[in-house]
Amino acid sequence: MTAPIIHMENIKKHYGNVIALNGVTFDVMPGECHCLLGDNGAGKSTFIKTMSGVHKPNEGSITFEGRPMSFETPRDAMEAGIATVFQDLAMIPLMSVTRNFFMGREPTTGKGIFKRFDIDRANEITVQEMRKMGINLRGPDQAVGTLSGGERQTVAIARAVYFGAKVLILDEPTSALGVRQTSNVLATIMKVRAQGVGVVFISHNVRHAMAVGDRFTVLNRGQTLGTAKKGEITAPELQDLMAGGQQLAELEGSLGGTI
C-alpha cells in the first residue's frame, strides 16, 4: 500500500485556555484529494496553518514522506513541498500573469551586471503551465486582475505545482465563485491529482467536496468526527455531520418541526 505523503497524528493546538485543535489525525496520499470539512470555527484554518508551518502544534507529530518533520516557518514547509493557496491568492491585480506566476522566483539570463529577468522564457513557461490546466491565456502579459476568479485560482494552483508542490492545500477555493468558474477549478484539481500531487481541499460546501474528494474528514470544535471514503457516505449524511445533525434535530423538535 502506498504510504502517505504527510501524516499528522494527534495534533493539539491551544492559545491559552482556548483549544483550537484537540487531537486531530489526518493524512494525504499521493494523487488523492482529501477533503477537510467543517462549519465556521471548526478549526479548519488553524489546522491548515499547522500543516503549512505557520503554527507549531503544542502536541502531536508530523511525518513527511516517512520522516519526522518539524516546520519552524512556512518557508520550511514550502521547501519540503507543501504549498498553500489561500482565499486571497496573494496576487497583485495590476501585474501581469507572468509576473504573478514567478513572483520572487523569476528565471534570469546573462551574468553579473548583465543579469536580467528572462521575460521570454517566463512567458513561455506561464503559457505552457496554464494550458496544462486547461486555460488558454489571451497573452501572458495581461494583468492578472483581468482574469476571472476561477482563472486566478488556476494561476495560483499552476504556480504551486510548477514549483514542486507534493501536497497542495486549497483553502475554500470555490467559496466566492460562480457555477462555471467553480467547475473550472474542480477540473483543475483533477488535473493536479493526475500528476501525483496530494490535495487537501478545505471547504464547507459538500457538493463541491463530493465532486472531487476521495476521502472526507469532518472537523467540529477542533476534533474530528470521523473520516469516510467516497462511496461510504452520502452528501446528506456529510452535511448532517458538518452542521451538527443531532443539534438541529433537537432544535427542530423544540420548535415543533418548523425548520
Side-chain angles (χ1 to χ4, degrees), residues 72-178:
E72 297 293 333
T73 66
R75 182 171 292 278
D76 291 342
M78 287 176 62
E79 290 177 354
I82 299 174
T84 307
V85 176
F86 292 104
Q87 287 175 290
D88 61 13
L89 298 180
M91 289 187 180
I92 301 175
L94 295 180
M95 282 176 54
S96 70
V97 178
T98 294
R99 287 283 184 173
N100 276 279
F101 191 96
F102 284 99
M103 196 181 303
R105 302 180 180 181
E106 293 82 359
T108 58
T109 185
K111 296 181 180 180
I113 62 172
F114 299 105
K115 189 175 182 179
R116 64 189 186 280
F117 178 32
D118 190 346
I119 186 64
D120 292 335
R121 176 68 177 148
N123 282 339
E124 180 184 355
I125 292 171
T126 300
V127 170
Q128 288 176 351
E129 294 305 312
M130 291 299 290
R131 190 174 292 135
K132 287 179 186 177
M133 298 297 174
I135 302 294
N136 291 314
L137 297 171
R138 292 197 302 273
D141 57 346
Q142 71 182 100
V144 81
T146 64
L147 301 179
S148 69
E151 289 170 335
R152 289 195 296 274
Q153 282 280 355
T154 302
V155 171
I157 293 170
R159 177 175 64 190
V161 173
Y162 176 75
F163 285 108
K166 298 174 183 176
V167 173
L168 180 63
I169 304 169
L170 302 178
D171 181 22
E172 301 276 6
T174 60
S175 62
L177 303 182

Side-chain angles (χ1 to χ4, degrees), residues 40-95:
N40 293 334
K44 302 190 303 295
S45 294
T46 301
F47 184 72
I48 64 172
K49 287 178 180 177
T50 303
M51 180 183 287
S52 61
V54 176
H55 299 322
K56 291 193 70 173
N58 296 105
E59 293 183 39
S61 62
I62 301 175
T63 304
F64 189 83
E65 294 186 323
R67 301 187 305 274
M69 297 290 283
S70 178
F71 302 126
E72 297 293 333
T73 66
R75 182 171 292 278
D76 291 342
M78 287 176 62
E79 290 177 354
I82 299 174
T84 307
V85 176
F86 292 104
Q87 287 175 290
D88 61 13
L89 298 180
M91 289 187 180
I92 301 175
L94 295 180
M95 282 176 54

Side-chain angles (χ1 to χ4, degrees), residues 171-189:
D171 181 22
E172 301 276 6
T174 60
S175 62
L177 303 182
V179 175
R180 179 174 295 180
Q181 294 178 26
T182 294
S183 178
N184 291 341
V185 171
L186 297 181
T188 300
I189 292 172

Side-chain angles (χ1 to χ4, degrees), residues 233-248:
I233 192 168
T234 65
E237 289 170 341
L238 202 53
Q239 188 74 58
D240 275 352
L241 272 179
M242 285 177 56
Q246 184 62 38
Q247 292 104 315
L248 285 176

Side-chain angles (χ1 to χ4, degrees), residues 26-40:
F26 188 91
D27 62 22
V28 187
M29 310 295 286
E32 174 191 42
C33 181
H34 193 159
C35 299
L36 185 65
L37 303 162
D39 210 344
N40 293 334

Side-chain angles (χ1 to χ4, degrees), residues 198-220:
V199 177
V200 181
F201 185 90
I202 316 296
S203 183
H204 60 264
N205 190 307
V206 171
R207 290 181 62 194
H208 297 170
M210 293 291 283
V212 294
D214 296 299
R215 284 190 292 161
F216 311 91
T217 294
V218 177
L219 272 184
N220 185 289

